[in-house]
Amino acid sequence: MATISEFLIVVLVILAFLLLLGGIGIFLIVKLAKKAANKAREATARITTHVNAMGTGDAAEVERLRLEMRREVSLTRQSIEQAQRQGWDLGELPRLLADLTAQADVHDQQLGMYAQQRRMSSFADHATLDRLRQNQATLTAMCARLRSDLLHTQVRHTGAGIADLTQRADLEIEARRPAPDPLDEIDDLYRRTMQERKDLP
């Protein structure tokens, strides 16, 4: 009787363990499915933006502005992340990038709403479009200034590194040259003296 109860306990423990594994597996599958759905939604939105940007008219122009803004922010983020990986002191640049990205997201949403309204209605709100273009130009110029400053800093760092490397190479080459033999110098001096005596009338 004791062996049967022990066997049942082992079976129940194994079943509980399998149920736990199954629950964890289902949880992970649901989490991965949600992440995949979000990625698919983002990819669909990007593809839609690209397709809409190929058209003509104000709506297509606004979609092109959206693509340009996303590209500018992405390039700026890559520049700052590269500088962080190299250990540069960036001060408030990462925080500024976060604020810039948030503002660019708001601008992107406004561009998207304008493009959608423009596709659905024949009414053209030129004042709003001009204001959106101005905001776009300001944000794009800010991204370009940040990247330019980072590139200037990178070139300056590289120039200092090259100068240091050149100096070290010169020192190493000089150190590897053999020291002149004093006997050779005396022999050379003697030969020159003898030649000068021959040359005298």
Side-chain angles (χ1 to χ4, degrees), residues 69 107 110 130-140:
M69 189 75 253
H107 179 66
Q110 292 169 351
D130 288 341
R131 185 65 181 154
L132 287 170
R133 286 178 181 144
Q134 290 172 6
N135 291 343
Q136 175 88 9
T138 303
L139 290 170
T140 302

Side-chain angles (χ1 to χ4, degrees), residues 114-177:
Y114 183 88
Q116 183 180 16
Q117 291 173 11
R118 191 67 183 93
R119 279 192 299 271
M120 297 175 73
S121 169
S122 59
F123 172 72
D125 183 1
H126 293 295
T128 301
L129 180 57
D130 288 341
R131 185 65 181 154
L132 287 170
R133 286 178 181 144
Q134 290 172 6
N135 291 343
Q136 175 88 9
T138 303
L139 290 170
T140 302
M142 194 181 311
C143 288
R145 284 177 52 208
L146 290 175
R147 290 196 312 273
S148 175
D149 179 65
L150 286 170
L151 183 60
H152 175 72
T153 304
Q154 183 180 18
V155 169
R156 193 176 68 236
H157 277 273
T158 303
I162 290 172
D164 179 57
L165 187 60
T166 302
Q167 183 180 11
R168 286 174 42 211
D170 291 343
L171 290 172
E172 183 62 27
I173 289 169
E174 190 63 36
R176 291 176 55 81
R177 286 188 182 146

Side-chain angles (χ1 to χ4, degrees), residues 5-19:
S5 62
E6 288 176 1
F7 177 73
L8 287 175
I9 290 173
V10 169
V11 169
L12 289 174
V13 167
I14 291 172
L15 284 176
F17 182 71
L18 290 175
L19 284 174

